[in-house]
Amino acid sequence: MTYDTIIRNGRWFDGSGAPSAIRDIGIRDGHVAAISADALDGTGCADVIDASGRWVLPGLIDIHTHYDVEVLGGPALSESLRHGVTTIMLGSCSLSTIYVNGEDAGDIFGRVEAIPRDFVISAVDQHKSWNSCAQYISALESRPLGPNVAAFIGHSDMRAATMGLDRSTRDDERPTRAELARMEAMLAEAIDAGMVGMSSQQLLFDKLDGEACRSRTLPSTYAKARELRRLKAQLRRSGLILQSGPDIENPLNLGSQLAQSLGLFRKKLKTSLLSAADVKANPYAVALLGPMARLVNRFGGDFRWQHLPVPFEVYADGIDLVIFEEFGAGAAALHLRDEVERNELMRDEAYRRQFRKQYESKLGIRVWHRDFYDAEIVECPDPAVAGKSFGQVGADRGGLHPVDAFLDLVLEHGRALRWRTTISNHRPEVLKKFAADPGVQMGFSDAGAHLRNMAFYNMGLRLLRHVRDADRAGKPFISIEQAVHRLTGELADWYRLDAGHLRVGDRADVVVIDPEHLDASLDAYAEEPVAQYGGLSRMVNRNDDTVQAVLVGGRTVFRNGQPSDLVGRTRTGSFLRAGRPVPALQADIADSEVLLDVR
């Protein structure tokens, strides 16, 4: 029996949470053809990977990315591949590029996701050849995709394309009957084409870029109950998923988002909500998240929180950071594109008073804890301030208020002032509770967005390290098998994707990990320029000693931190349609012999 690849003597995890075991894995025609406790015959096998002392897992799944723009011109998506992520989800937070034109896409993605607007416009205008979900999927499949791709259709995308960006972002405008019918037809076509569902947004500090509608919130946030009910009804009938972000300042909105999942007197609505986080601004709210999910699911719902299973550390260049959108003074600065005007505003004493007042206010729910003593300067032309907090700088400058110290440094150095803070997920004991909670999904990496602000491409590896370290310390909170399941099979099964498992007959999406290098290198800072964004330096992760090999559809895409010749040249990934098996890129194994020996 001949194999294309054999992975020898690795600790095999099948993605189901079942006990792991030392096995040889034989791959043929893109699928797992054999799993054996005995050595497989390597005669004629072109590639034998020695996985002794290594873990062999199903490829990891990233359920929340914003690669919608990058995938058009850079479909290899190698920053995810190199960390063992073999399946990514597009279309999060109501944003997709299926119907909008380049100009509107630039306005919708540019500021919210911190992707340079001009490059968004250029990418969409240059590559767009589709006018439907089916055509969009065909266009992606014509590209040299690195990982597998699945997608939501974005509500803001449908709404802007149907009503126009201006009308779709006005409180006094409603879609006409014909426009609402068109959005329903778009969603129906998306369901038929194999999308996993629809993403929407009610969070009110995601703002538009550009000039015409600048600083309005996303189109989805303007939708009223009737419009949302009709779209959600289609999702209920199809059994597909609504991904949404609640208006965190409105408890009624959050409650309705939870309640909508219930199946009382109607079909339940599978709902994935942003997000479960241990935010510093409200350390007590975290105690309610798990119980709320369990209560909804106990009464017939199918609800999941999305959760980033690592500390949510963010970086900023000057004042360019989305957290400032959540209060008036911060949003006012980000509203101004012209640097001269923005600097003039930041010098104004009345503006500074407003900023200080809102910074110090304890009222309302917020994401950022607003503590400039908990914000470290990491780079600055003035070396005297590097390594200090803005609060310390204020004290050094004669007792300046931290806000004034921050604004002064932004005025002095602009984007050359780089700083960081951790907003949430800072308590390891809380992360352990989330990791074990069945109402919480591992996700929310935001890969492909916030290029200068965050890098969570290796979040799966960091969760595995957390679990492995606790196990070694004799204080396990979940097993390694359960952790692998949470990052792979659990997600694939809930989203109904042909991925996430490593059994005989499954497609061979595989990652080989050296557990001895689940170490401090996972936290190291790194940057890499992005060619399609004009060479903009993006925050990334580099753990080349940790991930030994990555295979997509049975073909090696990374080995010891280096991409193979296939990456960016040949399509290895497939578009994953909800509830449907993926046709093999190579000959199918249906007529081939398989060997299963799980002694």
Side-chain angles (χ1 to χ4, degrees), residues 38-67:
D38 298 323
L40 294 175
D41 183 1
T43 302
C45 181
D47 189 15
V48 178
I49 299 173
D50 182 6
S52 301
R54 311 295 192 257
W55 296 351
V56 182
L57 325 177
L60 307 181
I61 299 174
D62 190 342
I63 61 171
H64 189 117
T65 83
H66 290 286
Y67 275 132

Side-chain angles (χ1 to χ4, degrees), residues 31 87 148 492 495-501 505-507 509 576-583:
H31 290 74
T87 297
N148 304 306
Y495 287 91
R496 299 170 57 201
L497 299 177
D498 184 10
H501 295 281
D506 287 327
R507 288 184 315 107
D509 300 330
L576 306 186
R577 293 162 174 83
R580 307 176 203 176
V582 178

Side-chain angles (χ1 to χ4, degrees), residues 11 13 53-57 464 468 480 511-513 515 518:
R11 182 178 174 186
F13 299 78
R54 311 295 192 257
W55 296 351
V56 182
L57 325 177
L464 292 175
R468 191 278 315 270
I480 297 170
V511 55
V512 180
I513 291 172
L518 291 171

Side-chain angles (χ1 to χ4, degrees), residues 287-359:
L288 299 175
L289 299 178
M292 284 193 290
R294 289 192 290 274
L295 180 66
V296 168
N297 293 333
R298 186 176 298 121
F299 283 94
D302 197 352
F303 176 89
R304 301 292 186 276
W305 295 105
Q306 290 188 15
H307 167 62
L308 178 70
V310 300
F312 195 171
E313 182 182 55
V314 295
Y315 284 70
D317 298 320
I319 200 171
D320 290 326
L321 188 61
V322 69
I323 59 173
F324 291 112
E325 300 277 19
E326 70 176 354
F327 63 99
L334 296 182
H335 173 75
L336 299 174
R337 299 179 68 182
D338 181 79
E339 187 174 358
V340 174
E341 289 184 77
R342 184 184 286 187
N343 288 349
E344 184 178 347
L345 176 70
M346 289 189 290
R347 289 189 185 96
D348 183 76
E349 181 53 37
Y351 170 79
R352 289 186 172 221
R353 282 197 300 271
Q354 181 189 25
F355 200 124
R356 290 192 295 264
K357 180 179 179 180
Q358 293 170 356
Y359 168 89

Side-chain angles (χ1 to χ4, degrees), residues 158-297:
M158 295 192 297
R159 206 168 199 268
T162 300
M163 301 174 64
L165 188 60
D166 179 49
R167 285 187 57 236
S168 71
T169 54
R170 289 186 178 275
D171 274 324
D172 57 351
E173 290 282 355
R174 303 286 186 278
T176 64
R177 289 185 179 180
E179 288 169 338
L180 185 50
R182 185 183 176 211
M183 281 189 271
E184 290 180 292
M186 288 174 170
L187 181 54
E189 198 269 338
I191 292 169
D192 185 62
M195 297 288 198
V196 296
M198 182 186 81
S199 65
S200 68
Q201 186 66 288
Q202 277 70 56
L203 188 64
L204 297 179
F205 65 74
D206 285 347
K207 305 289 178 61
L208 296 180
D209 207 344
E211 295 297 339
C213 305
R214 187 170 183 80
S215 294
R216 298 181 195 176
T217 55
L218 293 173
S220 183
T221 65
Y222 293 86
K224 304 304 179 185
R226 177 172 175 267
E227 176 183 340
L228 292 171
R229 276 198 307 269
R230 289 179 60 167
L231 296 174
K232 291 174 185 177
Q234 290 181 271
L235 297 174
R236 290 181 190 276
R237 289 192 296 270
S238 65
L240 295 183
I241 295 160
L242 176 73
Q243 183 210 73
S244 188
D247 177 4
I248 61 173
E249 295 183 348
N250 182 352
L252 292 177
N253 179 266
L254 177 59
S256 69
Q257 296 268 15
L258 287 158
Q260 72 187 359
S261 181
L262 293 172
L264 302 176
F265 310 111
R266 58 182 176 178
K267 291 189 71 173
K268 60 188 173 186
L269 176 61
K270 292 182 76 172
T271 302
S272 174
L273 198 65
L274 312 179
S275 81
D278 178 23
V279 293
K280 287 183 178 180
N282 189 345
Y284 307 107
V286 67
L288 299 175
L289 299 178
M292 284 193 290
R294 289 192 290 274
L295 180 66
V296 168
N297 293 333

Side-chain angles (χ1 to χ4, degrees), residues 460-482:
L461 302 177
R462 293 174 70 179
L463 175 63
L464 292 175
R465 180 184 64 182
H466 195 191
V467 173
R468 191 278 315 270
D469 288 350
D471 185 62
R472 287 183 172 179
K475 298 180 180 180
F477 54 97
I478 57 174
S479 70
I480 297 170
E481 287 85 354
Q482 288 172 307

